[in-house]
Amino acid sequence: MNKKILLILILVLSIFLRVFKIESHPATLYGDEQAFAWNAYNILKTGQDEYGEAYPLQFRSFNDYKAPIPVYILVPFIRIFDLNTFSIRLPIVIVSVITVYFVYLLTRQFFGYKISLLSAFLMSISPWHIHLSRGYFESTLALLFFIAGNYFYLKYLKRPNSLKNIIISMFFFALTIYSYFTPRILLIIYLPFLFWYGYSYPFVSEYTKNQLRKTFLKNFVMGFFFLLIICLPMVWATVNGEGLSRFNKLSESVNMIVVESVNKERNTSLLPAFWKTIMHNKLTVRLNIIKNNYFEHLSANFWYLYGDNSLRYFLGNMGMFYLLEMPFFIIGLIYLLRNNFKKCVSLLGWILLTPIPASIVGRPFAVRSLSMLPVPFIFISIGVVYFINLFAKKGKMIAIKVICLMFVISLGSVLVRYYFEYPVYAATWWGWENKAAIDYAKSYEGNFDNIFISDFYTGAPLAFAVYQKYDPLQFRNSINNPITMADGRKLIKLDKYYFGSLDIDKNRQNSGIIPPHSLYIARPEEADGVETINAPDDNRVIFKIYKN
């Protein structure tokens, strides 16, 4: 079959796997999706973020600061399709399909059409990439820019006298910094690796190797300063503003673990006090944690067995890659080590460097580790092609059919799980609670003068604003000016909706704390109401309902 037709079919498959029922699977928008969408909606309607700052470089939300590109890229989609789940997730779907195409282009810089098409195909059916393409994850956006940066860098190495491609490469790397936090750390260690690879690249040209290396050195320095100039505003905002807030929060949790571990190790050691201090201190414990996190990112447990244990960021109880792919990855790695050591080292460097930023702040995490894609698929593709070539002509066709069938079964099992099971057992990982309360309240809205919804689950007012397309200026005013109830507690008022807990017990209920003609959707710890809203997975009580 024609190579272009095969590539088009792969891209069509990518679109289908990412866009089918995108508005309902996952069923609700999780907190960060709402935050990105709400800020984009505010920019569209007012030219300001949710706090009233005009066209900011960083977006404050949930006491965190988010990169600008994921917000601004949403604005035209909301303008065209309105504020809804489909319009919020569509940009990442488009980005992810373009990423599959860039995987093909990138792999073509190393290998032939077979490996390139197969790598793109494996990326298209990757459960890891599919899942993070169906929610508004900024890491998926950053991955496209990271792959594109590598692609244009490799293009430059093929024509080292042309400055254009290295400038384009550095521009895409800059976009990763404006898209997600992890690349801001990753590029510090990744760019020296790229420099080493480029400087030792086997240039073939009419010029001497020394002349080409001088040209490369000059162009790389120029490209680096171009990158630096573009990124200076973001770097300045990150270092001098609140851009490190997420990293600091993660570091705080790690610091607590480090202190606890140091105390435990010293208390259980029989060494003299001096040697306890030498052997068990914050540095040794922290390095040990980072080491464990790093190797766990590269472990068979994470890749092929259990994956990310967060049900928001993955399906749970399955590897980030298909188990079927493991033997082919090993075959491809061994083959490339033996036959093209330089290419193997360059690809391995990509895999080995990308988990470092995530390892500093925690265990394997699908969104922070995503940048290691698509390199494993390149090794897998090499392994598949090599394995098939071991057979005679008739045996090749049988091997191809068997491998295709196994991939169809693997993908099919993931899709069945995703569409028929994941919406139930992972519902509460996606902010289902607030959506359930809002939907319940809307269904009874005409029967009550006042509706109270507990803010027990984080972000209830924001969820209401996004789902109801609330006026941004009115919402901002309500957030900044909460109303004070008779007992002194403060609630956020949005029309007839009040967000905050009334802390109902028998005495408060009997004292008439709930106004007449009111509905109160209360947290599960409050006194029994007339009915409940229960979780779809284990039927635990999520809200208790009071009608007065």
Side-chain angles (χ1 to χ4, degrees), residues 16 23 67 108 118 228 243 246 264 280 286 338-339 357 366 370 377 434 459 473 475 511 531:
F16 175 78
E23 73 286 348
R108 281 288 292 133
L118 188 51
L228 193 61
R246 182 176 298 186
K264 183 178 180 180
H280 306 290
R286 184 180 292 275
R338 290 179 174 178
N339 293 276
L370 185 64
F377 299 129
N434 288 329
L473 294 179
F475 181 78
S511 67
E531 58 182 288

Side-chain angles (χ1 to χ4, degrees), residues 331 384-392 396:
I331 293 170
V384 169
V385 171
Y386 177 77
F387 178 78
I388 291 173
N389 286 336
L390 292 176
F391 295 88
K396 283 183 182 180

Side-chain angles (χ1 to χ4, degrees), residues 318-375:
M318 66 170 287
M320 308 306 296
F321 301 98
Y322 297 117
L323 186 59
L324 161 67
E325 295 172 331
M326 182 170 66
F328 295 116
F329 176 84
I330 296 171
I331 293 170
L333 175 61
I334 294 173
Y335 176 85
L336 204 58
L337 275 171
R338 290 179 174 178
N339 293 276
N340 199 320
F341 183 78
K342 185 66 182 296
K343 285 183 180 179
C344 188
V345 169
S346 67
L347 293 172
L348 277 178
W350 184 330
I351 292 179
L352 296 176
L353 290 175
T354 48
I356 292 176
S359 302
I360 295 173
V361 293
R363 299 182 64 188
F365 199 50
V367 291
R368 297 187 202 124
S369 309
L370 185 64
S371 52
M372 74 169 60
L373 299 184
V375 183

Side-chain angles (χ1 to χ4, degrees), residues 11-194:
L11 295 177
V12 169
L13 176 64
S14 301
I15 295 170
F16 175 78
L17 292 175
R18 287 154 179 79
V19 81
F20 179 65
K21 292 190 174 181
I22 191 67
E23 73 286 348
S24 59
H25 290 72
T28 57
L29 299 166
Y30 82 101
D32 279 354
E33 286 183 291
Q34 295 169 15
F36 283 122
W38 185 244
N39 275 288
Y41 191 62
N42 274 257
I43 290 292
L44 175 64
K45 295 295 184 179
T46 70
Q48 301 171 330
D49 70 357
E50 62 178 294
Y51 289 92
E53 185 177 348
Y55 300 103
L57 192 59
Q58 296 188 106
F59 286 85
R60 178 185 170 196
S61 188
F62 292 122
N63 294 317
D64 190 11
Y65 285 79
K66 303 185 184 304
I69 289 181
V71 174
Y72 289 115
I73 203 173
L74 260 174
V75 174
F77 288 89
I78 294 175
R79 175 70 178 84
I80 296 170
F81 299 105
D82 205 359
L83 181 62
N84 54 60
T85 303
F86 178 80
S87 68
I88 293 168
R89 291 174 175 168
L90 182 59
I92 297 299
V93 170
I94 295 172
V95 161
S96 66
V97 175
I98 297 173
T99 302
V100 173
Y101 177 64
F102 264 94
V103 169
Y104 169 79
L105 294 178
L106 175 79
T107 311
R108 281 288 292 133
Q109 295 299 311
F110 286 109
F111 305 102
Y113 284 106
K114 287 183 181 179
I115 304 298
S116 304
L117 288 169
L118 188 51
S119 298
F121 170 73
L122 293 176
M123 186 76 167
S124 73
I125 65 168
S126 162
W128 189 354
H129 193 247
I130 290 172
H131 182 73
L132 294 186
S133 301
R134 295 182 62 86
Y136 201 83
F137 296 104
E138 64 264 46
S139 62
T140 310
L141 178 61
L143 176 64
L144 169 61
F145 298 144
F146 189 69
I147 293 173
N150 280 280
Y151 164 68
F152 282 103
Y153 184 76
L154 290 172
K155 279 195 72 175
Y156 162 73
L157 293 180
K158 297 289 180 68
R159 296 182 61 190
N161 292 308
S162 172
L163 184 62
K164 181 184 71 173
N165 283 324
I166 200 168
I167 294 296
I168 297 173
S169 170
M170 294 302 170
F171 176 73
F172 276 111
F173 284 134
L175 293 182
T176 67
I177 291 177
Y178 281 89
S179 300
Y180 190 46
F181 178 79
T182 302
R184 300 175 199 178
I185 302 174
L186 174 59
L187 286 180
I188 295 173
I189 55 177
Y190 193 74
L191 287 177
F193 170 73
L194 282 186

Side-chain angles (χ1 to χ4, degrees), residues 478-497:
S478 298
I479 293 294
N480 294 332
N481 301 283
I483 66 164
T484 303
M485 303 293 287
D487 60 353
R489 68 185 60 232
K490 295 182 181 297
L491 277 71
I492 304 298
K493 183 178 186 299
L494 303 173
D495 298 332
K496 67 164 65 176
Y497 286 81

Side-chain angles (χ1 to χ4, degrees), residues 253-273:
S253 62
V254 174
N255 288 338
M256 292 176 60
I257 296 172
V258 167
V259 171
E260 292 174 0
S261 298
V262 169
N263 293 333
K264 183 178 180 180
E265 288 180 9
R266 289 181 180 179
N267 290 336
T268 56
S269 175
L270 299 177
L271 290 170

